[in-house]
Amino acid sequence: MSALLHQLPSSCQGYAPRPSVPQQGLKGSAPQVQCRPTRILSHRTLAQAVSAPPAAPEKSKGKDKPKQQKSLTPEVAKDLYRDMFLGREFEEMCAQMYYRGKMFGFVHLYSGQEAVSTGVLRAMRPDDYVCSTYRDHVHALSKGVPAKNIMAELFGKKTGICRGQGGSMHMFSAEHNLLGGFAFIGEGIPIGLGAAFGVKYRKESIGLEGSDQVVASFFGDGTCNVGQFYECLNMASLYKLPIIFVVENNLWAIGMNHPRATGPSDPNDTEPHIWKKGPAFGMPGVLVDGMDVQKVREVAVEAVARARAGLGPTLIEAETYRFRGHSLADPDELRRKEEKEHYAARDPIPQLKKAILEGNILTQDELKEIEKDVLAEVDAAVQFAEESPKPDKAQLLENVFADPKGFGIHEDGRYKYQMPGFSSGNSALV
Amino acid sequence: MWEALREAVDEEMERDPTVCMFGEDVGHYGGSYKVTYDLYKKYGDMRLLDTPICENAFMGMGIGAAMTGLRPIVEGMNMGFLLLAYNQISNNAGMLHYTSGGQYKVPLVVRGPGGVGRQLGAEHSQRLESYFQSIPGVQLVACSTVSNAKALLKSAIRSDNPIIFFEHVLLYNVKGDTQEGYCQPLERAEIARAGSDVTILCYSRMRYVVMQACQQLEKDGFNPEVIDLISLKPFDMETIARSVRKTRKVIIVEECMKTGGIGASLSAVINETLFDDLDHQVIRLSSQDVPTAYAYELEAATIVQPEQVVDAVKRIAGSSRQLVAA
């Protein structure tokens, strides 16, 4: 890879950042809530953010007036609306099922953040990759994993996408290039980086021309302070890897409010601004309203095109919000009512519905049809999960090693996995 | 030995375009102990990727690449450094095939030099095999001779399982013949010396310490059987059981710490499965549970010396030898 490009794109300006909604400052009285500016992300600033390859003409002449957004086609509108509605209904059903004792452990729901998953993943190709975190159900849905297999996994059933072995925080689908949910903060980012490296390796080292997939790596504001995050930003930029880093900044890492955890990225800032860390690592940083699926999609389309063209990574900070606690076990007492109401008022799904109807892109009935179809799919998923068989004990040892020789050689000379009764589940099988 | 390891990497990279190497100074510098010396000239920077110093990330990058079709080898410049990558090795390399329900495999080799060298100080003298041994889904292999080093590394690279491949800082300049293109089974132990009156189980550099002790033992009329474990996990129970049933006495000689060491697991397995075949409790000769000192005398006192092996054999096999003689 002697053609290691070191062309550092210009730093960029996102739109005016969300004025902080600081909770209890270290000192001083409780600040009151300021709402987020609604100025849409102007095309010009984005064009600046994406250092167009020299050949491509400059996108817009730098006029100040933000250009009208490209209007939605009915087909895209249907896709976005269905995906977000499915994400929401699926997660709300999970809450129900959790409280009815159908699923257990730590379940982290995505409700409220749908614009980010849908905005990014519905702008990508099926053969692109995604790596997620423990808040991964909706990423899996947006990537095309059938709702019934996700629900069955949550019910711990054999028909689950991971045969009941992964659970809520470990959703994988090789068929959909879902590289996984990951339970530890920052643990999945290097995995996505590796997939991106593989794409570039297959093209440049093995000479596979068609190898131009892109990886989307999702994580939250809390993750932006762990080592692996920075280590990966550096390598992604250094090797110009086809990956986009999508920070779902929902302001809270369990009970830790973002401004209490993260210092400003710019000396004369008082707010953290994660996206400003992008340029510090040689990649564009883009801030986007993570409650507006059209804006997220617009940013994603540019960032994915940039990655696919071999121009390297982009750091996208999507300001969003989770309507439920960190997990279903989180009492969620720290987040103030005003803040929750502020973001509930900007729920991405009604926002899109309004844009669709006002722009008469789809009719009320068409939307109703989609909603009905989604509700049926979610109910069917629950029924499928309910009726699916539980894993039997024989499954216990089946996926520990890809090559079962890894269990070793038994006293009588055969490999342990060849021994009768091995699958009855005693890995030592001494 | 470094030449043999280098041949293994070269041959496997030649044979399979998806085989590549990540690590600090594996490319232009040629590896901390020359295992990839000059290979970047033949295969280019991308296949011998000199990474920044970020063990957790480049280990995870190796795993992500392995999941999506490559066969990376990740070098720990010193195995001790890989403590920084423990999150990726344990949670992703080890468990991900399982948590994904078998959808993704991780054909990855993690290799590098470990063990007590010549006054390298506490941090560069670590033996991590005991740390990694309880990670499910990972195999641990320790090479010891030129002959097995190349043949085992070739098998490790071809394996679909994540393999942690332990080399030793003091063995890189050992001379010997390779087994040409042979791929040695990763799960098999090696009989370093056939014998009858005691079974000595060892691995990596301790094989040399034990063989040195054997020279003295032979003079004293002993006939120890020396087994090089090679596979630290899983244990080759066939070779071990056959030897223990023959000699009925076991001494384990290891360089990792005594507490929670490989020997601790091995002794437990032997006691549980071969209790009735033992005439003596299993002896473990391990490194002391101390950070390895810099001063030579203290360093030497930390690890097992040949005299200790001789004493141990005499202690438990001495009586039976006279019985035979009488």
Side-chain angles (χ1 to χ4, degrees):
Chain A
M1 194 173 48
S2 47
L4 259 182
L5 299 172
H6 281 288
Q7 173 230 358
L8 297 184
S10 61
S11 78
C12 90
Q13 264 304 328
Y15 79 117
R18 144 175 73 190
S20 83
V21 183
Q23 292 308 301
Q24 223 45 36
L26 290 181
K27 299 183 297 306
S29 65
Q32 30 78 7
V33 174
Q34 296 131 342
C35 71
R36 224 185 253 180
T38 50
R39 187 156 55 84
I40 58 161
L41 175 77
S42 70
H43 212 70
R44 185 174 58 74
T45 49
L46 176 62
Q48 253 175 4
V50 176
S51 62
E58 178 53 41
K59 280 209 175 57
S60 61
K61 307 243 164 349
K63 340 190 254 327
D64 267 345
K65 198 168 73 35
K67 253 195 349 219
Q68 235 309 325
Q69 259 163 345
K70 286 193 292 311
S71 63
L72 274 177
T73 65
E75 187 226 358
V76 170
K78 263 195 188 129
D79 185 62
L80 300 183
Y81 189 74
R82 187 181 201 290
D83 192 54
M84 288 213 289
F85 194 79
L86 172 62
R88 174 69 54 81
E89 287 307 318
F90 185 90
E91 295 291 69
E92 291 309 304
M93 183 61 84
C94 284
Q96 255 190 67
M97 290 302 130
Y98 183 87
Y99 294 126
R100 284 205 206 142
K102 297 287 182 194
M103 59 178 85
F104 300 89
F106 292 126
V107 179
H108 309 80
L109 298 183
Y110 200 78
S111 305
Q113 301 182 185
E114 295 82 1
V116 186
S117 179
T118 300
V120 173
L121 293 176
R122 304 311 294 172
M124 295 177 79
R125 291 185 340 209
D127 62 334
D128 285 335
Y129 295 91
V130 60
C131 63
S132 177
T133 65
Y134 41 79
R135 206 179 298 282
D136 52 356
H137 306 172
V138 173
H139 292 146
L141 291 170
S142 297
K143 200 66 181 58
V145 181
K148 62 181 172 60
N149 296 108
I150 303 172
M151 192 61 87
E153 184 65 29
L154 291 166
F155 275 45
K157 295 298 182 72
K158 207 156 124 159
T159 51
I161 190 72
C162 300
R163 309 175 73 211
Q165 291 167 194
S168 171
M169 296 186 280
H170 302 94
M171 294 287 176
F172 292 82
S173 174
E175 184 195 337
H176 302 88
N177 281 348
L178 169 59
L179 297 169
F182 294 88
F184 284 9
I185 293 292
E187 200 183 33
I189 307 174
I191 300 296
L193 198 77
F197 179 84
V199 169
K200 185 159 188 161
Y201 182 96
R202 272 185 290 279
K203 184 168 200 171
E204 292 185 8
S205 177
I206 298 184
L208 208 60
E209 260 328 301
S211 179
D212 67 347
Q213 292 78 10
V214 174
V215 178
S217 174
F218 288 89
F219 46 86
D221 47 289
T223 301
C224 297
N225 295 318
V226 76
Q228 295 183 77
F229 167 64
Y230 295 102
E231 293 175 1
C232 288
L233 289 188
N234 175 53
M235 281 200 279
S237 179
L238 176 68
Y239 301 132
K240 288 265 166 289
L241 296 181
I243 184 167
I244 57 175
F245 300 102
V246 183
V247 185
E248 293 167 323
N249 181 355
N250 58 19
L251 282 180
W252 290 87
I254 306 185
M256 190 63 173
N257 191 223
H258 180 44
R260 292 184 58 216
T262 313
S265 307
D266 188 315
N268 34 44
D269 278 351
T270 54
E271 304 308 324
H273 300 321
I274 301 170
W275 59 278
K276 287 189 176 179
K277 296 176 196 278
F281 284 85
M283 71 184 75
V286 184
L287 179 66
V288 69
D289 174 1
M291 301 301 265
D292 181 328
V293 68
Q294 294 187 73
K295 287 186 199 144
V296 174
R297 181 181 173 89
E298 191 182 333
V299 165
V301 165
E302 298 258 358
V304 168
R306 187 185 139 73
R308 223 184 286 287
L311 297 171
T314 302
L315 176 63
I316 300 171
E317 177 182 353
E319 290 179 327
T320 187
Y321 199 72
R322 52 174 163 82
F323 290 168
R324 286 178 171 274
H326 170 70
S327 74
L328 286 173
D330 171 15
D332 190 13
E333 288 154 349
L334 288 177
R335 299 187 308 164
R336 290 172 25 261
K337 199 158 64 58
E338 297 78 7
E339 183 182 81
K340 292 180 185 173
E341 283 158 1
H342 166 69
Y343 284 105
R346 305 189 53 248
D347 184 329
I349 299 177
Q351 245 191 91
L352 178 62
K353 186 169 198 172
K354 185 160 159 287
I356 287 175
L357 294 177
E358 278 175 3
N360 39 57
I361 300 162
L362 296 171
T363 64
Q364 185 80 352
D365 293 344
E366 282 169 315
L367 292 182
K368 275 268 170 296
E369 193 47 40
I370 292 173
E371 289 166 5
K372 201 156 72 53
D373 186 46
V374 162
L375 293 176
E377 182 177 348
V378 173
D379 290 347
V382 170
Q383 197 183 347
F384 173 80
E386 192 78 4
E387 289 161 2
S388 292
K390 290 190 182 330
D392 41 51
K393 194 149 179 275
Q395 190 178 317
L396 185 66
L397 304 179
E398 281 164 6
N399 302 130
V400 178
F401 287 106
D403 177 352
K405 292 210 293 296
F407 281 110
I409 295 166
H410 187 263
E411 273 181 43
D412 77 2
R414 282 178 293 180
Y415 274 98
K416 284 185 184 172
Y417 75 93
Q418 295 163 320
M419 303 293 293
F422 173 78
S423 62
S424 64
N426 174 355
S427 68
L429 194 74
V430 221
Chain B
M1 173 150 354
W2 66 268
E3 306 89 338
L5 292 165
R6 184 178 181 285
E7 277 172 32
V9 175
D10 193 2
E11 285 171 16
E12 293 305 309
M13 287 185 79
E14 184 97 31
R15 172 181 173 278
D16 180 348
T18 68
V19 175
C20 54
M21 173 92 76
F22 297 171
E24 295 152 15
D25 274 329
V26 294
H28 297 190
Y29 187 83
S32 47
Y33 287 86
K34 298 206 289 289
V35 171
T36 48
Y37 190 71
D38 263 356
L39 286 183
Y40 82 98
K41 288 181 179 146
K42 178 174 176 184
Y43 295 107
D45 283 354
M46 199 167 199
R47 292 191 72 185
L48 272 306
L49 191 71
D50 281 329
T51 62
I53 300 172
C54 51
E55 281 81 2
N56 218 9
F58 70 67
M59 184 64 69
M61 190 165 92
I63 295 164
M67 285 165 69
T68 53
L70 300 192
R71 270 183 188 277
I73 305 159
V74 178
E75 174 174 294
M77 177 173 269
N78 181 296
M79 283 302 247
F81 300 173
L82 296 184
L83 283 175
L84 289 161
Y86 205 96
N87 169 210
Q88 289 296 333
I89 293 171
S90 148
N91 294 19
N92 286 339
M95 300 187 208
L96 193 138
H97 179 63
Y98 195 85
T99 50
S100 71
Q103 292 179 82
Y104 283 105
K105 54 186 170 82
V106 184
L108 175 84
V109 175
V110 177
R111 54 157 290 278
V116 175
R118 185 58 199 274
Q119 296 183 246
L120 304 180
E123 290 188 83
H124 284 72
S125 309
Q126 298 184 73
R127 288 79 70 200
L128 296 190
E129 55 272 21
S130 52
Y131 295 43
F132 288 127
Q133 68 175 322
S134 31
I135 301 173
V138 165
Q139 287 183 242
L140 309 184
V141 175
C143 65
S144 51
T145 66
V146 172
S147 160
N148 63 40
K150 176 178 177 181
L152 287 167
L153 184 53
K154 283 173 76 72
S155 298
I157 294 166
R158 295 187 191 186
S159 168
D160 278 346
N161 294 338
I163 310 285
I164 304 182
F165 188 86
F166 294 91
E167 298 146 20
H168 195 285
V169 282
L170 290 183
L171 297 182
Y172 282 111
N173 294 322
V174 164
K175 295 294 172 244
D177 302 328
T178 68
Q179 302 176 63
E180 277 318 307
Y182 176 53
C183 292
Q184 187 167 323
L186 300 171
E187 299 81 20
R188 267 270 173 248
E190 265 180 14
I191 302 204
R193 183 190 188 280
S196 59
D197 42 33
V198 62
T199 298
I200 304 177
L201 303 170
C202 57
Y203 64 90
S204 186
R205 182 181 166 235
M206 285 299 125
R207 173 175 176 152
Y208 296 84
V209 169
V210 169
M211 294 307 278
Q212 194 182 330
C214 286
Q215 285 160 17
Q216 177 60 39
L217 287 166
E218 279 154 15
K219 289 201 202 79
D220 300 345
F222 288 93
N223 181 25
E225 179 149 293
V226 179
I227 294 176
D228 183 340
L229 292 172
I230 303 290
S231 179
L232 307 185
K233 180 183 152 190
F235 296 132
D236 172 359
M237 289 314 293
E238 182 191 21
T239 308
I240 293 168
R242 189 186 308 124
S243 179
V244 170
R245 289 201 177 99
K246 178 168 61 172
T247 69
R248 307 183 65 77
K249 296 176 203 60
V250 177
I251 297 172
I252 298 171
V253 182
E254 58 183 352
E255 202 177 336
C256 59
M257 309 281 191
K258 186 153 202 170
T259 303
I262 297 289
S265 305
L266 184 53
S267 174
V269 166
I270 292 171
N271 284 320
E272 285 157 7
T273 60
L274 298 163
F275 185 76
D276 300 332
D277 301 297
L278 290 172
D279 288 348
H280 195 282
Q281 78 266 28
V282 175
I283 304 283
R284 277 184 301 147
L285 300 179
S286 322
S287 290
Q288 310 265 356
D289 285 356
V290 298
T292 313
Y294 166 74
Y296 180 74
E297 297 69 23
L298 294 178
E299 179 183 74
T302 303
I303 55 177
V304 178
Q305 299 298 335
E307 308 73 44
Q308 288 169 270
V309 179
V310 171
D311 294 346
V313 168
K314 285 185 175 169
R315 207 164 67 236
I316 73 170
S319 50
S320 69
R321 191 171 59 75
Q322 269 117 28
L323 271 180
V324 165

